[in-house]
Amino acid sequence: MKQVEFFFDVGSPYSYLAYHQLPKIAQAKGAEILWRPMLLGGVFQATGNSSPATIPAKGRYSNIDLERWATYFGVPIQQNPHFPINTLQLMRGAVGMQLRSDAEFHNYLGAIFSAMFEHPRNLGDLNELAAVLEAAGISPALMMELVQDDHVKQTLRKTTEEAVARGVFGAPTFFVGDEMFWGQDRLHFVEQALS
């Protein structure tokens, strides 16, 4: 079966847009998505890259660009006033849920992406995060257990290191075989590569 790898971080609004679009493309092309949660902060640190938000003019433009893409894709998006949020615990949570089951992983991702970019919440606040998790039927205690688990920590670290070793410098990044595509605006190239 054809496969597309999706390296992402829940703090990336462009990953959020790709999260909504990539499954449609994969389904249309009969391809499987390999979900690869990575730590974008770790990628930035390793590659010398940084968030567009760190450059005021680029940050302002990115907000306009995100709204254009969200409209184009038909996806709701709102600026999260609590940015930037350190996503280390959130990405460990993603890895932990993925190691448990596909269903728990996708339920978690849906809840976190929604709380980041559809109905913005301060996911850097443990009480806010707990409320978001509980609303999705996820135990906050389980989440706290997972983020402290050594296997979960090592898995996230290894995926992030692998991403950097393969040339990833930002999110979202996709691989079809050895071919790399960066950004939700390259999804048509991903679609072509899967054809």
Side-chain angles (χ1 to χ4, degrees):
M1 188 179 199
K2 289 177 283 191
Q3 292 181 328
V4 53
E5 292 177 84
F6 177 28
F7 286 87
F8 69 95
D9 184 305
V10 296
S12 156
Y14 291 104
S15 289
Y16 161 77
L17 293 174
Y19 162 78
H20 281 286
Q21 293 309 113
L22 188 60
K24 297 173 190 172
I25 292 168
Q27 185 176 14
K29 297 298 176 186
E32 174 189 14
I33 300 171
L34 299 181
W35 300 82
R36 308 297 308 276
M38 66 176 185
L39 188 63
L40 187 56
V43 170
F44 283 167
Q45 194 171 18
T47 61
N49 197 1
S50 61
S51 166
T54 61
I55 302 164
K58 195 172 185 181
R60 285 190 299 275
Y61 178 78
S62 290
N63 291 332
I64 297 164
D65 188 54
L66 282 166
E67 288 182 20
R68 286 177 180 153
W69 277 104
T71 300
Y72 180 75
F73 287 146
V75 174
I77 197 166
Q78 286 191 52
Q79 290 177 31
N80 192 318
H82 307 290
F83 265 44
I85 293 170
N86 182 328
T87 60
L88 177 61
Q89 303 304 332
L90 299 175
M91 293 313 297
R92 283 181 181 168
V95 169
M97 292 297 174
Q98 187 177 37
L99 290 171
R100 286 174 59 85
S101 75
D102 273 355
E104 287 171 286
F105 173 66
H106 288 292
N107 181 41
Y108 175 85
L109 268 193
I112 297 299
F113 269 133
S114 177
M116 276 285 199
F117 302 112
E118 291 172 22
H119 310 285
R121 303 281 292 269
N122 182 3
L123 297 183
D125 179 303
L126 288 179
N127 292 326
E128 284 274 295
L129 176 57
V132 167
L133 295 172
E134 283 174 346
I138 300 165
S139 161
L142 169 64
M143 164 83 173
M144 293 316 294
E145 191 181 307
L146 290 173
V147 302
Q148 297 305 323
D149 183 276
D150 279 339
H151 181 55
V152 168
K153 291 178 182 179
Q154 289 302 324
T155 302
L156 179 60
R157 185 176 294 119
K158 283 180 185 167
T159 303
T160 304
E161 288 169 354
E162 179 196 334
V164 170
R166 290 173 70 185
V168 172
F169 54 86
T173 299
F174 316 94
F175 284 90
V176 178
D178 291 329
E179 217 174 344
M180 185 178 100
F181 306 90
W182 171 67
Q184 93 301 332
D185 52 342
R186 306 318 196 278
L187 279 169
H188 58 291
F189 291 134
V190 171
E191 193 169 3
Q192 282 179 352
L194 290 170
S195 293

